[in-house]
Amino acid sequence: MGALNADAHLYDVVVIGAGPVGLATAVGLRSRGITNIAVLERARSFRQVGQVLDILPNGLRALKYLDPQAHQAILEPTAPAGPPRPASQWFYRDLQGQPIRSVSMDSEDWLEKYGEGRNSLSWFNVQTRLRELLPQEDIWVNHRCINLKAEADYVEIDCVSNTTEERNPYAHWATPAPEVAETASPATLENKQLRAKLVVAADGINSTVRQWLHPEGSGFVQATPVYSGFVAFLCMDVGELPEALWAELSEQYFQGQPIVTVCQDAEPHEAALSLDAPTGRSRIMMFRRGNSCGYIVHAPISLEVLQGKSGAASIDLAVQQLEQAGFSDCIKQFVGLAPPEQFTQRPYYMHPVDLEGNTAAWSSGKVVLVGDAAHGMPPFLAQGVNQGFEDAAVVVAGIERIRQQGLWGDEGAIASQFQQYEQLRRPVMARVQKLTLTEKARWSDEQSEDYNQWVFCRDLVRDLEVF
Ligand SMILES: Cc1cc2nc3c(=O)[nH]c(=O)nc-3n(C[C@H](O)[C@H](O)[C@H](O)COP(=O)(O)OP(=O)(O)OC[C@H]3O[C@@H](n4cnc5c(N)ncnc54)[C@H](O)[C@@H]3O)c2cc1C
């Protein structure tokens, strides 16, 4: 890891945030010979945190463009090689247990249909696999960016280390135990400045850099994330289930599969953004691993109702929500059995990408936002990190052009590359976000296939050639 003391070194690129998108950007830069880089990460160490991410064909295609080794590393199965397992299907069912739709979880099926496979990995595994492709000294942990200053020839980045590690309510899950707040007296804080010709900000949905780009009073309403209208209630392990309850769940819903999503009945419609009284529908994903079962409920609930609730009160709220939505007694009983210490509640925030009106730009001068910092959203289409990898590919292509043409000092050329990146990516993100807030399980077969073809089969490399 990098040392803490300042030097006057001028980096070509500093990436802020060692999450999946920041690391993919750094890997892509390195593979193009842009090695004078540093990745700053506010966490004090790399820990087993985060949700499971589905890495899908468009994300894999972007990774292949960034560095074939990254593509290979992310595709690597987690389980040891053994006899092939039967292809599993993820079923979406209605309240009675009738199938609405099913999705293959078999990478080979995806490869055949969309030209790339899929893999499911924890956030930490994605981070680790990408991190291992970079020299350790490129990654500076315990460096939280707190401010930037744009100078004529470079950007100065203010960092602070050994600070209180506050829990980020907008980023990944903090399970099984919430992060412990670590405190440090001001005397133990260390400040450091770094200089970079370009800054790529991949610091997640609660981005410090985004807030620096669009400070309060600048007229943009979107510097900080807005509530999406949906909350997740999660329990990774409900514990031992009464036999009769498991028999009912198994017969009516699981039907031999390890994972199932049960959706509220209603006519399809779109949820709006930032709803005071959300109008979307509830669903529950239930999963079984060995002898343990868990769930994620996604429900439209206003923030006011959530406020101040945790533990048992939050479990009651989840059960009430399912009751109102007409879910069966066995599902409500299953949700209510969660031990409070295994239960997490998490409102989903987003940065709405609007194609019209007063939208916050993704770059200014030598500083550009990527991933959740630009367009965070709820995970209903499993596209957050996949779209972030696409951002990384486009930004890396732009930086490679700047390097090849010797334009590091040309502010106009840099701004133009970053604006072109946004022009290419913003319409895609606007569509993905809009669809994310609709209920995919209720799309028609035609809508579903149109979406799959569009999102998974877009030719990113061709797009990059014309941009
Ligand atoms: C429950 C859930 C399930 C999801 N499932 C999927 C899925 O299946 N597929 C999918 O594509 N996406 C999924 N997502 C979304 C996905 O997790 C995000 O889109 C993705 O992690 C964004 O990556 P990122 O690198 O932009 O930001 P992050 O993953 O948030 O990483 C940001 C990094 O920056 C660091 N950082 C933050 N602030 C600073 C600072 N000031 N200075 C230095 N470092 C800083 C953070 O510590 C972190 O390491 C899911 C999200 C959730 C919540």
Side-chain angles (χ1 to χ4, degrees), residues 16-23 40-43 46 51-56 123 127 143-146 159 168 170-173 202-209 232 296 298 346 348 370-373 376-388:
I16 301 177
V21 179
L23 291 170
L40 307 183
E41 170 54 48
R42 70 174 194 167
F46 294 108
Q51 61 277 351
V52 172
L53 303 178
D54 290 335
I55 313 292
L56 301 176
W123 186 93
Q127 184 189 49
H143 278 67
R144 178 155 73 99
C145 165
I146 52 167
C159 291
N168 178 357
Y170 305 107
H172 26 83
W173 299 99
D203 52 343
I205 195 163
N206 196 24
S207 167
T208 303
V209 180
I296 302 181
H298 285 144
R346 177 202 172 94
Y348 286 127
V370 290
D372 277 12
M377 62 187 169
F380 307 145
L381 286 180
Q383 274 297 316
V385 85
N386 292 293
Q387 291 298 328

Side-chain angles (χ1 to χ4, degrees), residues 10 16 145-158 193-199 209 212-213 363-368 411 414 418:
L10 178 60
I16 301 177
C145 165
I146 52 167
N147 195 25
L148 304 178
K149 207 181 316 155
E151 301 287 358
D153 300 325
Y154 58 84
V155 180
E156 192 162 271
I157 303 146
D158 284 339
Q193 278 88 39
L194 279 92
R195 290 174 180 179
K197 295 175 190 165
L198 302 178
V199 173
V209 180
W212 173 81
L213 279 181
S363 69
S364 172
K366 304 178 183 79
V367 180
V368 65
E411 191 148 335
I414 292 166
F418 290 163

Side-chain angles (χ1 to χ4, degrees), residues 111-126:
L111 183 64
E112 200 176 304
K113 268 181 130 170
Y114 308 119
E116 281 289 346
R118 57 165 291 152
N119 202 4
S120 298
L121 295 172
S122 71
W123 186 93
F124 175 73
N125 273 342
V126 174

Side-chain angles (χ1 to χ4, degrees), residues 95 245 248-249 252-253 319 322-323 326-337:
L95 297 180
L245 176 61
E248 209 176 335
L249 288 172
Q252 192 170 357
Y253 298 111
V319 174
L322 294 174
E323 167 96 45
F327 280 76
S328 58
D329 287 345
C330 63
I331 290 184
K332 285 181 284 172
Q333 195 188 342
F334 176 54
V335 169
L337 281 175

Side-chain angles (χ1 to χ4, degrees), residues 213-275:
L213 279 181
H214 303 295
E216 241 178 88
S218 65
F220 291 103
V221 286
Q222 295 166 332
T224 49
V226 299
Y227 181 48
S228 70
F230 282 90
V231 66
F233 297 108
L234 168 92
C235 177
M236 290 308 282
D237 187 4
V238 171
E240 205 169 319
L241 299 187
E243 225 170 89
L245 176 61
W246 170 244
E248 209 176 335
L249 288 172
S250 165
E251 190 181 326
Q252 192 170 357
Y253 298 111
F254 281 98
Q255 299 188 20
Q257 296 296 336
I259 188 163
V260 62
T261 296
V262 181
C263 305
Q264 180 181 350
D265 296 336
E267 286 307 303
H269 71 272
E270 288 177 15
L273 304 183
S274 296
L275 298 162

Side-chain angles (χ1 to χ4, degrees), residues 388-449:
F389 288 155
E390 292 198 23
D391 292 350
V394 182
V395 162
V396 165
I399 296 177
E400 188 181 19
R401 219 163 287 146
I402 289 165
R403 197 272 309 264
Q404 279 169 350
Q405 295 171 17
L407 297 173
W408 289 116
D410 184 334
E411 191 148 335
I414 292 166
S416 154
Q417 284 299 325
F418 290 163
Q419 281 157 15
Q420 285 181 60
Y421 146 72
E422 184 170 339
Q423 276 163 20
L424 186 65
R425 297 287 306 136
R426 188 179 272 277
V428 174
M429 281 316 305
R431 185 167 172 196
V432 170
Q433 279 196 345
K434 187 161 177 245
L435 292 170
T436 293
L437 294 176
T438 69
E439 198 181 357
K440 192 178 181 202
R442 300 280 179 184
W443 294 354
S444 67
D445 289 345
E446 197 186 343
Q447 279 174 316
S448 193
E449 208 34 55

